[in-house]
Each structure stands twice: as C-alpha cells, then as structure tokens.
Amino acid sequence: MSEALLEVRNLSVGYRIGAGTVHAIDDVSFTVHEGETLGLVGESGCGKTTAGRAVIKVMPANASITGGEVRYRGRDLVPLSNEEMRAIRWNEIAVIPQSAMNALNPVYRVGRQIEEVIVQQDGASPAEARARAEELFRLVKIDPGRLAHYPHQFSGGMRQRALVAMALALNPALLIADEPTTALDVVSQDRVFTRVRALQKRLGASMLLITHDMGLVAENCDRVAVMYAGRIVEQADTRTLFGAPVHPYTLGLKNAFPSTTRPKDEALISIAGAPPVLLEAPRGCRFAPRCPFATPRCRDEDPALRPVGPGHHAACHHTALAGEMRARAVLSETWTAGAP
Amino acid sequence: MADAGTPSPPGAAAPRAPAPPRALRGWRRLWQPFAGRHLAIASLVVLAVFVFVGVFAPWLAPHEPLEKHYQDDGRLMRLLTPTGDFWFGTTLYARDVFSQVIIGTRSALVVGVITAAAMTLIGLNVGLVAGYFGGWVDSFLMRTTDVVFGVPLLPFAIVALSLLDRSTWWIIALMAMLFWPITARVVRSQVLSLRERPFIDAARISGAGHLRILYRHIAPNVMPQAFVHGVFGVAWAITTEASINFLGFGDPYTVSWGTIIYDVFTSMVSFKAWWWFVPPGLCIIIVTTAFYFIGQAFEEVANPRLRER
C-alpha cells in the first residue's frame, strides 16, 4: 500500500456546552493514503464532520481537541499555531464545505473570490490568477465568462462546482469533501461528483469524503470507515465493507439504503432508537441499546477496534458470529423485535 | 436557467452558457435606488443645486457676507426688504442675507458630510469588532455604546463648547462622538448574523485571518446599512449644528444657517424681518428633508422588507 498522507491517531474532540462536555469524537483513528479516497460515513451527529474539521482545526469556539494526533505527511498538526495552520489550509488541505451552496460571498464576483485565494495563498500575479481561474472553470465545465458574475446568478450545481474549482485552485494534496452534494438533486449530484473524481485522479490528490450517502461511498471510495456515536466501528476496503460487513451497525446502515438487487417493493429497514447523548462516556458498546444482537457482555464491556481480516477492522464482541448476523440482519423482524 | 455543465459529446465545442441577467454596473447600479421614486429623485435634484451652491459659494455670493452696506448719505442700510440688489434683504447690521445664506450652504454641507463620515467610521469599526469577536470585547464595546447613547446631545455640547474653543471643528467632533452608537448597533447586529454564514466559514477554511475576514468578507456586507445611517447622519448633523449655533455656542466668526437665525433672535426683530430668518430656516428644512428621502431610498435597497407591498 502507498504511503500515508494523513494519519489520524486516537483523536478526541469535545464540545463544551452548559451541561458539561460532549465528547463528539472519542479515540478515532484513520489513515488516508496518497491518491486514495477514504469514505467516512455515519448518521447525522456521529462526529464525521467534527473529525474532518479537526483535521484543519477550523472548529466552533467551544470545541477543542482533547487528545490524539493528526499527522499530515508525518507532521503533527495538533500543536501548530493558527498562523502555521493557515499556511496549510487550502495550499495543502482544501475543504469543500458542507454548505457549499452558500459558501460564496454574495457581494463579490465569483471570479474575484477564486483569484483572491490564488493571489493570497500562492503569491501569483493577478493576471496569472485570472488565467488559472479560467482554466479551473473549464475543468469543472463552467463557461469562464461566468467568472464575472455574482453567486446569485449561478444555479446550485454551478455554485457547487465553482466551490470545487476553488478548492482545487492550489493543487491541494488532500481534499476534504464534507457532504459535498447533499443540497443538490441526484442528477446534479452525480454531475458534480463525476467532475470531482476526474479532477482528483488527474491531480493525484487524496480525498476524505464525509457523507451519509452510502451510494456515493460505494461508487467513489477505495476504503470506508463507519462512524457511530463518535467512534469508528468498522473500517475496510469498499468491496469488503459492502460485501462482508461485520458490525451490526454497518449491517443496519446497509439495510437503510435502497439496493438495486433487492425486490423494489420491499420496504427499507431502519434502525430503531437514537444514538446516545455523549455527555459522558457510555458504558459498554455504544451501539448495544439499538443492536438486535446485543448480549449482556455488550452492555458491560466496550469492544475495541480489532482486525477481523486483511485491512478490515471492527469494534464488536461478536465478530465470530458475523455470518449469522448478516443472514438475520436482512429480515425486518430482527430490527423491530429486539430493539427498545 | 440552463446549466453550463450539460454533458456534451466528446470533442464537441464546450456548450456556451446563455447570457445570464447582467449585473448592474457603475452608474446604473447607483441609480437603482432612485428608479421610480419621485421624492428621492426630486431630493437628488435639490441636493445637486445645494451642492453646486456650496462648492461655488464664494463666486456666487454677490457681496462679502459680513460686509456692511451704507447709503450715499453714510447711513447703514439696515433691515431692507428684498430688493434687486439684496435678494433676501439686509440684516439689522446692514449685511446681505442672500450672501450669508449662500456662504452658510457650504459650511452646512461640509459639517454634515464630515460628521457623517466620522460617525460611520467609528460606528462601523466598533460594530464590526464587537459583533465579530463577541465575548468581553463585545460586552465592553456595547456597554460603552449604551452609555454614549444615553448622553443628551445639546446639553453635553453646550457644556463642552463652553469649556473648549468655539470652533466648527469641535462641533463636528462632538457630534461624531455622540452619533456613532446608532451605526455601531446596526452594524453589530448584522455582523452577529453574518459571522455565522457559510461563506465566512469557507473563508476561514481557506486560510483567511481575522482582519481579512472582518474587513474583506464581512464589512462589504454591512456597508449598505452603515451608508444609510451615514446619509441620515448628514441630516442630523446639519440640524444639530444649526441648533448649537442658534443657541450661540458656535464659532461667532463663521457664517452658518444657525448663526444667521441666532443673529435674528438676538436682534429681537423676529416679528418684523421675516426675510432675515425664513431663507436659512427653509434651507435647513429643505436640505435635511432631501437627505432623509435619499437615505430612505437607499434603506429600501438595503432592507427590502421596507418596500411597499
């Protein structure tokens, strides 16, 4: 396997709120290799966005990294000052933000915003920046004449692609795409993401794709990490994760998305209940209260992330029973009977 | 609107985007607030006349404003009713009212514009910093704003001017010192909302520092509101300066609309010499009203909710 570009080790992030500290992510580790796309999936609030934000250290004022390391090309970013981080943001690690639709400043022309980033971070002359911006617009298939327009004159998909162009402006080595297409309809989603993928391949960049869209993950990622309640519960290459998942949460997540091979009139199966509130570390496995396969041991003992196959890790006590769980997981009564 | 990214067969020329609505440029954009607003357009015309008079005041005034005029027999030409020679008549001291009003136009506009600019500058910065940084910076600045907001302007100006030089510059400084809280509050409330917007987050992600975010990304978004209050500020400044001068706390050696009315009042001829105080009084009313209407036109652009449904 190629070299590690980004290594997140035992990272924990807490949000201070009135009632205490919410441990949004707890002891999370993952690696993005050169040229690879890692998918980080999970339901809303599982900490996937927090994890992405912690990498570039742009977080809300009440959030702080409480432990662990974020190694980028071998250098730990956690102790770096804001000034040092600013040199890394965008030049090295670029982000396509979650609300990309509104990420352009309404009072400036789109071209000016892109050129400004290039001039600012790269020290290019305005003419070079202009040429670069035009090239980028052609790459994301927008008429370069549109650089002279304001964001409100763009459609949603165009704005998103303009953001992609902006993120790629400085040839970043790592692209963090945080729900890059959620606000778009499926057709635009596909169009935007096809561009992103083609460009990523062409520029040889790595990508951390944060999403809850299993379809997007299946199509685009080399490896996948599944997050639940601030922890990574399963990590594997995409084929293995979709073909032979081990963790009950992954099984449930798979059920919750339509499949082209299952009969189309079959209802989707959802996981009953809600994730725990992370004000204090829950006892035992975090998924146990919603897990149809939970045993007394699950409620007592916190399972560690252990290897279950080549490049395949899972945090479950019952990985040995994975085959049986997989068979039962496709039945909807499994999920309705045992759950609270 | 059609999207430029429609997939095209390989090798085909890139599809051209249909011409989108053009952004209003230059003069057309400046004109936009006035389109169809007759009062605002009329105000603009009126103001243009006053600005012209203000700029060319020394050449337009037929006489020196403080020159005393004598008859052939050596007597002063006191309190003449308007004639061909003295369009607005003369004062008790035989000075030409018309020339005084014209010279006063310049000082009124200068005082108004400088005060408004200073007030906007202070208010804008206080509002930006308070709203953006929050915390104790916000508390400190906004409590200061509250205190300044509570200071009654005229009594404060009168006391201050009795201790200081009675110069127009001090009047401007005092007004700017007391007017800025309005701008600061409006700007702060805007910034509170703006700083949470996705594009500010995006700027941060792209490596922008605080100053850059504050002055490049947030400030342009609050300029419309700051500008509107600046325009109103011109009107407040002109009336307030006139009031201070009318009360006799202004610079006695400058001619302004306020001092003219002060002269009428202290001469105790208010009931007789209408031609002496009506012109400066009308000028104050007309100019401030014009600024209000223009400010309102801009306000409707800055805040679309004010538009007539």
Side-chain angles (χ1 to χ4, degrees), chain B residues 154-223:
Chain B
L154 279 180
F156 175 75
I158 289 167
V159 173
L161 287 169
S162 333
L163 302 173
L164 300 160
D165 283 346
R166 292 191 177 181
S167 83
T168 309
W169 292 110
W170 272 118
I171 297 179
I172 291 175
L174 288 171
M175 289 193 293
M177 275 163 58
L178 294 189
F179 282 167
W180 64 263
I182 301 140
T183 309
R185 278 186 179 177
V186 171
V187 168
R188 172 181 173 270
S189 67
Q190 286 289 319
V191 174
L192 284 181
S193 141
L194 283 166
R195 70 169 186 192
E196 304 297 337
R197 302 270 174 95
F199 66 85
I200 298 304
D201 185 55
R204 205 167 289 142
I205 290 169
S206 72
H210 288 314
L211 275 183
R212 188 167 190 80
I213 290 175
L214 207 46
Y215 287 99
R216 281 294 266 220
H217 292 283
I218 295 183
N221 282 288
V222 295
M223 283 318 267

Side-chain angles (χ1 to χ4, degrees), chain A residues 17 64 156 163 184 221 282 288 295 315 322 331 336:
Chain A
I17 58 167
S64 59
L163 251 291
L184 297 178
C221 296
T295 58
L331 308 168
T336 44

Side-chain angles (χ1 to χ4, degrees), chain A residues 53 108 116 121 149 153 161, chain B residues 3 20-21 201 206 212 216:
Chain A
R53 285 314 183 87
Y108 292 120
E116 203 178 280
Q121 303 280 61
H149 293 140
Q153 297 172 295
R161 274 178 291 148
Chain B
D3 189 312
D201 185 55
S206 72
R212 188 167 190 80
R216 281 294 266 220

